[in-house]
Amino acid sequence: MIDLSVEIAGIRFKNPVLGASGTFGYGLEFAELIDLNRLGGFCTKGLSIEPLPGNAPPRIVETHGGMLNSIGLQNIGARAFVQEKLPLLRRYDTHVIANVFGFSPDEYLEVIRVLEDSEGVAAYELNISCPNVKKGGMEIGNDPVEAARLTEAVKRLARRPVIVKLSPHVRSIAEIARAVEAAGADALSVINTILGMSVDIYKRRPRLGATMGGLSGPAIKPLAVRMVFEAARAVQIPIIGVGGIATAQDALEFIIAGATAIQVGTANYYDPAATIKIIDGLHAYCDEQKIEQIRPLIGSLEV
Ligand SMILES: Cc1cc2nc3c(=O)[nH]c(=O)nc-3n(C[C@H](O)[C@H](O)[C@H](O)COP(=O)(O)O)c2cc1C
């Protein structure tokens, strides 16, 4: 029997495949399409203290090998998540990671406070890297001092493991990874989307309502692999790789480069069963390679 299980911050995941925040709803949307129990886990849409309507449309544009989004962190708010979604999610045997967001450090803490009182959340993923909001997200994520300060404050409050999701918009991914690790982060997610733009040449207008948005999908995979590799060499804590993963081969690239687990984002849109196919593909690879456990593959890259 092949063992795909991995461990992050004391949590055992039955396999390293997770749904990425913002592309997996609150998980329940996918329960109608796939067997959620098969997943290692998933990250919820970013939760803020108050519900948010998000940005004006159009909010999604297809690009070569990817897409641009400017959803603007639309969500039902942390309290509604706890009341309406969590009780239903507790039925499933998979880890729910709450993706947390605020417009100020205090707002992050408020969201954590709301979630702390409830059962069914395995860990927090702090989004300090969203390119789609004017303040909060990327300003903290770009600055190692700010990122460390927020991580420290959240760690003081949270009973659960804290995963910090890094932005690719940094001078050095190793520097920010080290700063956040020193502040007590239990793991890192690497990376969020990259700020991009697309122009309608006939209307001479931006294709996105918000002018710019986050680029995701296969187009960003090589950048994400490089950043996972650099972050994994810089810190001791586990890295969760994310960016353009659509197949088991993609997932394996990240794992071999240093990721303990991976998240699948944009691929869910064109193939809602992508996560399940990746899990099956990891089994097939281990079988073919005569590997009994996935763990020794983590960071096994030879350079
Ligand atoms: C429509 C959309 C919404 C997203 N919303 C969030 C979010 O709320 N919080 C967050 O941390 N990341 C969010 N992300 C980023 C993804 O979780 C992921 O980091 C990124 O899309 C790269 O992975 P991919 O190329 O597999 O999509 C969002 C991405 C997309 C495409």
Side-chain angles (χ1 to χ4, degrees), residues 283-299:
H283 268 286
Y285 173 85
C286 290
D287 202 24
E288 172 205 295
Q289 297 287 314
K290 311 264 181 289
I291 295 169
E292 283 173 10
Q293 294 184 332
I294 195 124
R295 266 164 297 181
L297 282 182
I298 298 166

Side-chain angles (χ1 to χ4, degrees), residues 198-207:
S198 176
V199 171
D200 183 325
I201 58 167
Y202 296 103
K203 293 185 186 150
R204 299 189 199 173
R205 293 182 61 84
R207 283 212 170 88

Side-chain angles (χ1 to χ4, degrees), residues 35-55:
D35 180 3
L36 280 188
N37 299 312
R38 288 206 57 205
L39 298 184
F42 70 89
C43 301
T44 67
K45 176 67 192 158
L47 299 167
S48 48
I49 192 65
E50 299 300 337
L52 288 176
N55 290 334

Side-chain angles (χ1 to χ4, degrees), residues 9-10 51-52 62 69 74 83 88 96 108 112 124 133-136 148 157 162 177 192 240 245 249 289 296:
L52 288 176
E62 278 189 51
N69 89 82
Q74 177 186 7
Q83 279 157 20
L88 302 174
V96 177
Y108 280 86
I112 303 277
Y124 304 117
V133 285
K134 292 205 172 62
K135 55 185 185 126
L157 184 65
V162 175
N192 210 315
I240 303 171
I245 297 170
Q249 286 78 8
Q289 297 287 314

Side-chain angles (χ1 to χ4, degrees), residues 154-226:
V154 171
K155 276 298 289 179
R156 237 177 278 131
L157 184 65
R159 285 185 289 126
R160 297 172 173 134
V162 175
I163 303 163
V164 181
K165 185 161 178 183
L166 302 187
S167 166
H169 292 272
V170 288
R171 190 179 48 203
S172 156
I173 198 87
E175 180 189 21
I176 193 120
R178 274 193 220 103
V180 167
E181 179 188 45
D186 296 287
L188 304 173
S189 293
V190 179
I191 56 177
N192 210 315
T193 54
I194 301 161
L195 197 60
M197 190 172 156
S198 176
V199 171
D200 183 325
I201 58 167
Y202 296 103
K203 293 185 186 150
R204 299 189 199 173
R205 293 182 61 84
R207 283 212 170 88
L208 282 175
T211 305
M212 295 176 204
L215 180 65
S216 63
I220 71 168
K221 196 187 87 180
L223 175 66
V225 173
R226 189 264 292 174

Side-chain angles (χ1 to χ4, degrees), residues 19-24 43-47 59-60 65-75 99-101 125-132 165-166 189-194 214-221 224 241-246 263-269:
S21 175
T23 65
F24 216 73
C43 301
T44 67
K45 176 67 192 158
L47 299 167
R59 311 200 294 187
I60 287 194
M67 75 182 214
L68 286 166
N69 89 82
S70 62
I71 305 297
L73 293 159
Q74 177 186 7
N75 79 100
N99 185 278
V100 171
F101 169 80
E125 181 179 59
L126 300 187
N127 178 7
I128 59 163
S129 44
C130 184
N132 293 325
K165 185 161 178 183
L166 302 187
S189 293
V190 179
I191 56 177
N192 210 315
T193 54
I194 301 161
L215 180 65
S216 63
I220 71 168
K221 196 187 87 180
V242 51
I245 297 170
Q263 295 176 8
V264 181
T266 301
N268 292 309
Y269 288 110

Side-chain angles (χ1 to χ4, degrees), residues 30 34 246 264-277:
F30 275 78
I34 59 171
V264 181
T266 301
N268 292 309
Y269 288 110
Y270 55 86
D271 182 2
T275 47
I276 303 295
K277 288 178 188 167

